[in-house]
Amino acid sequence: DAKTTQPNSMESNEEEPVHLPCNHSTISGTDYIHWYRQLPSQGPEYVIHGLTSNVNNRMASLAIAEDRKSSTLILHRATLRDAAVYYCILSGGGSNYKLTFGKGTLLTVNP
Amino acid sequence: EPEVTQTPSHQVTQMGQEVILRCVPISNHLYFYWYRQILGQKVEFLVSFYNNEISEKSEIFDDQFSVERPDGSNFTLKIRSTKLEDSAMYFCASLGAGRMNTEAFFGQGTRLTVV
């Protein structure tokens, strides 16, 4: 499984943007970049995914480097409910879909 | 909003007993997964299931574990003879069809405590 590297923890203030980095220098051409998050005492939750182009959805934006060796999850205005562990994961789609979770980044949001 | 439902939310069992964890995936999904998370540790892949058979399993998924989709709606994980180290949160997930589909939905989990 292709590996990703994320900071162990990050801190943000409420209503400020948060940029969560992820390095994935061994990404293959068919790997999608997925972001999931896990709120305390809950199951993982899909946030966003992308292949080559930057992506936006109602939860976040995903900025992907041109060489695809790194990406950044952007939460435009952090809220207290965004406090969670964020996982950056590489995987194929469909029948090649398998999530291998690392330790992720623990995001703390200060009021 | 579609959701994956898991029951029970908490199961306490004695060591050596069999347990069955149940999941109702999203109705038109075709790929199903079980993951587990020991307290304070990473979420670990156990098994993936497609077209009524296991497509991949991890080293954790030994002969004590089995999965089944008995009636086209439920997806179950059976642990034949539980050990203390099986105590964990177990998450079921499902994924829709299509090579481009990469949004998996997870259930809220079953907390299994083996005593």
Side-chain angles (χ1 to χ4, degrees):
Chain A
D1 297 321
K3 293 192 76 163
T4 62
T5 305
Q6 299 178 251
N8 290 332
S9 61
M10 290 186 67
E11 213 167 306
S12 170
N13 295 320
E14 206 175 1
E15 308 217 346
E16 289 184 356
V18 183
H19 291 231
L20 297 165
C22 180
N23 287 316
H24 30 79
S25 57
T26 59
I27 190 170
S28 77
T30 57
D31 282 333
Y32 288 84
I33 302 159
H34 307 262
W35 283 83
Y36 280 77
R37 72 181 185 180
Q38 188 174 22
L39 279 65
S41 302
Q42 294 195 27
E45 175 188 29
Y46 169 85
V47 177
I48 201 166
H49 77 277
L51 186 62
T52 55
S53 305
N54 295 345
V55 185
N56 300 299
N57 68 18
R58 62 177 176 82
M59 287 182 74
S61 296
L62 177 60
I64 301 173
E66 206 168 314
D67 63 5
R68 300 212 321 132
K69 293 186 177 181
S70 65
S71 60
T72 302
L73 177 71
I74 302 164
L75 306 179
H76 295 285
R77 290 180 68 202
T79 69
L80 297 178
R81 287 182 300 174
D82 291 322
V85 179
Y86 286 79
Y87 301 99
C88 168
I89 304 170
L90 306 182
S91 176
S95 60
N96 297 316
Y97 190 87
K98 175 187 155 188
L99 299 175
T100 301
F101 289 82
K103 294 183 180 178
T105 296
L106 174 62
L107 176 66
T108 301
V109 181
N110 300 313
Chain B
E1 179 86 9
E3 62 176 16
V4 173
T5 306
Q6 290 186 243
T7 54
S9 56
H10 191 186
Q11 171 100 41
V12 181
T13 189
Q14 291 208 320
M15 193 167 55
Q17 294 295 304
E18 174 183 287
V19 294
I20 297 176
L21 310 183
R22 302 182 192 279
C23 169
V24 179
I26 293 168
S27 61
N28 61 348
H29 281 189
L30 297 180
Y31 302 94
F32 312 106
Y33 309 85
W34 282 101
Y35 289 81
R36 80 170 187 191
Q37 186 173 32
I38 295 171
L39 186 64
Q41 298 189 23
K42 296 186 294 186
V43 177
E44 300 173 290
F45 169 79
L46 291 179
V47 65
S48 58
F49 191 86
Y50 170 70
N51 202 24
N52 280 323
E53 59 183 26
I54 290 173
S55 42
E56 187 173 351
K57 59 184 180 179
S58 72
E59 290 177 356
I60 303 167
F61 195 90
D62 61 22
D63 291 344
Q64 294 299 311
F65 291 86
S66 62
V67 289
E68 204 176 33
R69 191 158 156 77
D71 56 12
S73 61
N74 290 288
F75 179 50
T76 62
L77 174 69
K78 183 194 291 187
I79 309 175
R80 235 176 300 280
S81 176
T82 50
K83 307 185 194 70
L84 294 176
E85 53 263 38
D86 294 327
S87 296
M89 282 291 288
Y90 288 80
F91 296 108
C92 171
S94 72
L95 179 74
R99 187 177 59 85
M100 305 298 287
N101 198 329
T102 64
E103 179 180 350
F105 290 79
F106 283 78
Q108 290 302 299
T110 292
R111 178 174 301 284
L112 177 65
T113 303
V114 183
V115 297

